[in-house]
Amino acid sequence: MVNRFGTDGFGAWLRRQFRVIGAIARKDFLVFLRYPANALMSVVEPIMWLAPAYFMGQGFSVDGQAIGFAGFTGTSDYFSFAMMGMFMSSYISTAFWGTGFSVQEDMTLGVLEPNWVTPTSRVSLIIGRSVIMFLLTTLNSIGVLIVGAALFHVNLTGNVLAAVITMLPMLIALTGLGLGIAGVVLSVRRAGTAIDISNWIVVQLSGTTFPVSVLPRPLLAVALALPTTYGFDAVRSILLGTRTMLPLKVEIGIMLASTVGMCAAGYAVFKAFERRCRRQGLLGTH
Amino acid sequence: MSKTMPHTVRVFLAAAQRDFRITTRYGDFVVGMLVWPILMPSLTVFAAKALAGPDGAGLSAFAERTGTTDYVGFVFAGMVLWMWLNMVLWSVGGALRSEQRLGTLECNWMTPAPRLAILLGSGVNQMIVSVIPVFVSLAVCTAAWGVRFAVTPLVGLVFLVSTIAMFGMALAFASLVLFLKELNAAVFFLRGVFMVFCGLTSPLAVLPPWMRAVSKALPLTYSIDLVRRLSLAGASYADVSRDFWVLAAFAAGLMVAGCLAFLIVDRAVKRSGTLGQY
């Protein structure tokens, strides 16, 4: 019997998908290694963005303690707060740029159509890219964290393993988001500005460098609708001992629910736009 | 001379007109130009608001170091001027490199048109376009946050001198990028240096001494400081005259350095024949 998994069953189908994911991840890793200047800048540039945050914190501090900030968050260590925010927001940027927007780069280079006419799952092609991008982002962010901690004072006192486990649902949800964005980019094409602005808004409104409670009501409503806001809040409370907006278990529950929701929505959006592009023959155009 | 001058002006205007058409051709660029100046400083202000605290506990420390409690105007002035520099680096600084990638640089430079006039014409258009976000940002700051920036002839003069300094720097940068053949990393690095050292969101007093010394060697530091003091703190010419003339000296020096760098690159690429390579 031939079904969507082929004649050899689900196990063989799954192995094939892993092979595709592995091949794409390997290809993107080789491309990454080919441009060492970009790799170096990916560590240096976040430090350059962190430095103004550090000095701005110092501008409002007394004896190195951001006393005003403690009134909002429960910690006077503003730099560690911002550093953790930057660490987690790099995954959001990866979903927008590394996964979603990369489809446009493939289009521009002319390799999207040849890859997509092969008998592989297009979703696996995108997931393969997500996997390597998230791994590279993790390595890069750890590098930034180490350099940042050496240059400035970072004080993470909480349980790192618990924080990593708490972050996992957020990362899976972001893979779903990246898949959906890839679908939209397929159809929209010149999506650079839209991706740039959307990425910045989601990163900032998730509370990268400030607690979302300082936002005016309309923006606060948007921030509270983003699952990443709860992810940032939960991880910070574990690592820095900040006050959470909701009980920690509730925040984790919201993240788990959003993981399912965002993956399902991302898949549906991607498939809808992919079908439309195939029907209209738009894959090779840009 | 009488023939050369009108010819040069015509080339200059043609380059400016061409770039203006390209700029207005792409709607997403115009949207970005209007949205970024609102988004970036506004969201940075929320971080300052968080640092000030719910009861303003952090404000006294800020006021002690800056002489003002108006952190919104302080942050906006720094961010807006930095964003302006960022735009100028991408547009003017990237002008030659973009043409090189599009394949039009070699063709244009083969014509008997003065090459410096092409670059200056293109750059002047980009400079005019890049001023628009500055005004959008300051208008939003006034409307949304109630910050009043005093607009005096002296503030206008500071903007003009800053424009010349940035333009000169971008000309030198454009020439350098032709050699490096990597625009993105070069812009990220240079704008990062200004971001770290120029006191965008913090008073220079919180920087360590060696960083303060570096900041004094960057023209943007003077532009930001002068705008803050003249527009927000109500300083007079007598209060800022020394810094104003330092900025003017930077402007003159950078403009000469920019033109010289271009002439050197022009000669070098003609000799090496690398103009068309990327």
Side-chain angles (χ1 to χ4, degrees):
Chain A
M1 180 186 164
V2 179
N3 57 27
R4 63 180 303 182
F5 302 121
T7 51
D8 43 1
F10 177 73
W13 175 85
L14 196 61
R15 273 196 299 279
R16 277 202 303 277
Q17 302 317 309
F18 277 121
R19 215 167 53 232
V20 172
I21 290 170
I24 289 292
R26 186 169 170 271
K27 179 206 73 167
D28 281 359
F29 183 63
L30 290 174
V31 172
F32 174 80
L33 289 181
R34 183 65 190 82
Y35 298 95
N38 285 345
L40 180 69
M41 276 312 290
S42 65
V43 174
V44 173
E45 220 210 345
I47 299 290
M48 286 175 156
W49 281 93
L50 278 167
Y54 174 78
F55 291 118
M56 184 162 73
Q58 291 298 305
F60 286 86
S61 295
V62 178
D63 297 327
Q65 300 298 310
I67 46 172
F69 186 70
F72 278 116
T73 59
T75 176
S76 58
D77 185 358
Y78 174 69
F79 185 69
S80 297
F81 182 96
M83 183 100 190
M84 280 318 300
M86 293 262 191
F87 184 93
M88 289 182 284
S89 69
S90 59
Y91 291 103
I92 298 178
S93 300
T94 300
F96 274 94
W97 286 109
T99 310
F101 191 71
S102 61
V103 172
Q104 186 172 320
E105 277 185 14
D106 281 0
M107 268 184 186
T108 309
L109 293 170
V111 295
L112 186 77
E113 200 172 18
N115 284 345
W116 282 30
V117 293
T118 59
T120 50
S121 156
R122 258 82 71 181
V123 173
S124 296
L125 292 174
I126 301 285
I127 290 176
R129 177 161 268 164
S130 284
V131 167
I132 190 66
M133 287 299 165
F134 278 126
L135 282 175
L136 289 172
T137 301
T138 303
L139 287 175
N140 185 48
S141 300
I142 289 171
V144 171
L145 203 60
I146 291 168
V147 176
L151 290 176
F152 312 106
H153 182 69
V154 179
N155 192 20
L156 306 178
T157 51
N159 185 337
V160 176
L161 184 65
V164 170
I165 293 169
T166 307
M167 261 180 76
L168 281 178
M170 190 178 84
L171 300 188
I172 298 167
L174 286 173
T175 306
L177 176 71
L179 193 60
I181 293 168
V184 176
V185 170
L186 266 183
S187 190
V188 176
R189 288 181 187 79
R190 272 187 70 93
T193 304
I195 293 278
D196 206 8
I197 292 171
S198 317
N199 172 48
W200 178 264
I201 290 174
V202 173
V203 161
Q204 291 299 322
L205 293 187
S206 299
T208 299
T209 55
F210 52 81
V212 294
S213 53
V214 301
L215 290 168
R217 282 186 175 218
L219 291 180
L220 180 61
V222 178
L224 293 177
L226 299 171
T228 43
T229 304
Y230 303 99
F232 283 27
D233 200 42
V235 170
R236 278 186 180 127
S237 82
I238 293 167
L239 286 176
L240 304 172
T242 52
R243 282 194 297 269
T244 54
M245 296 181 296
L246 301 171
L248 191 57
K249 281 183 183 171
V250 176
E251 291 195 335
I252 292 171
I254 290 173
M255 277 195 294
L256 288 170
S258 68
T259 300
V260 177
M262 282 175 78
C263 285
Y267 181 81
V269 168
F270 178 78
K271 290 303 274 185
F273 278 109
E274 188 225 353
R275 251 195 317 271
R276 182 169 169 266
C277 285
R278 262 193 301 170
R279 268 191 210 140
Q280 298 180 354
L282 297 173
L283 276 186
T285 62
H286 58 88
Chain B
M1 177 73 186
S2 58
K3 269 188 171 178
T4 313
M5 199 56 197
H7 174 65
T8 305
V9 171
R10 215 167 54 237
V11 170
F12 174 86
L13 291 175
Q17 192 187 14
R18 176 203 61 183
D19 273 41
F20 181 74
R21 280 191 183 161
I22 294 172
T23 304
T24 50
R25 177 65 187 80
Y26 294 103
D28 60 335
F29 175 80
V30 178
V31 169
M33 200 171 71
L34 297 175
V35 171
W36 279 120
I38 299 170
L39 273 186
M40 205 180 252
S42 300
L43 291 168
T44 310
V45 164
F46 290 126
K49 191 179 168 188
L51 283 161
D55 53 358
L59 265 186
S60 54
F62 180 78
E64 205 175 288
R65 291 178 179 119
T66 59
T68 176
T69 54
D70 181 7
Y71 62 84
V72 179
F74 187 90
V75 167
F76 253 89
M79 289 299 291
V80 167
L81 288 173
W82 176 80
M83 282 176 58
W84 185 22
L85 174 81
N86 185 27
M87 269 198 75
V88 170
L89 285 179
W90 281 115
S91 53
V92 184
L96 295 178
R97 179 67 182 151
S98 300
E99 282 211 52
Q100 197 176 40
R101 290 192 67 190
L102 291 170
T104 54
L105 186 68
E106 199 170 16
C107 314
N108 287 340
W109 281 26
M110 296 277 280
T111 65
R115 289 180 279 279
L116 191 57
I118 298 176
L119 182 63
L120 290 177
S122 168
V124 161
N125 166 71
Q126 303 290 3
M127 287 305 295
I128 293 168
V129 168
S130 69
V131 172
I132 297 169
V134 174
F135 289 111
V136 169
S137 195
L138 295 180
V140 168
C141 181
T142 304
W145 300 92
V147 175
R148 299 240 167 256
F149 287 97
V151 182
T152 63
L154 188 55
V155 174
L157 197 59
V158 168
F159 264 99
L160 184 66
V161 175
S162 301
T163 306
I164 297 168
M166 283 189 200
F167 192 37
M169 190 162 50
L171 285 183
F173 183 72
S175 309
L176 181 70
V177 166
L178 263 193
F179 271 123
L180 295 176
K181 301 196 188 299
E182 175 50 66
L183 177 66
N184 291 11
V187 172
F188 289 155
F189 181 76
L190 192 61
R191 78 176 186 184
V193 168
F194 284 97
M195 188 196 287
V196 171
F197 290 98
C198 291
L200 259 58
T201 54
S202 60
L204 293 178
V206 298
L207 299 182
W210 72 269
M211 286 184 75
R212 253 176 285 164
V214 175
S215 75
K216 294 285 178 195
L218 301 171
L220 189 66
T221 308
Y222 296 91
S223 299
I224 292 173
D225 189 48
L226 283 167
V227 168
R228 279 174 181 157
R229 284 158 74 191
L230 291 168
S231 283
L232 296 170
S236 65
Y237 172 71
D239 300 322
V240 301
S241 62
R242 191 185 154 276
D243 286 349
F244 175 78
W245 286 109
V246 173
L247 181 63
F250 265 118
L254 285 167
M255 201 62 203
V256 172
C259 290
L260 278 178
F262 178 76
L263 293 174
I264 292 168
V265 166
D266 183 29
R267 189 178 299 173
V269 291
K270 262 196 288 184
R271 277 193 191 147
S272 60
T274 56
L275 197 58
Q277 295 175 2
Y278 60 96

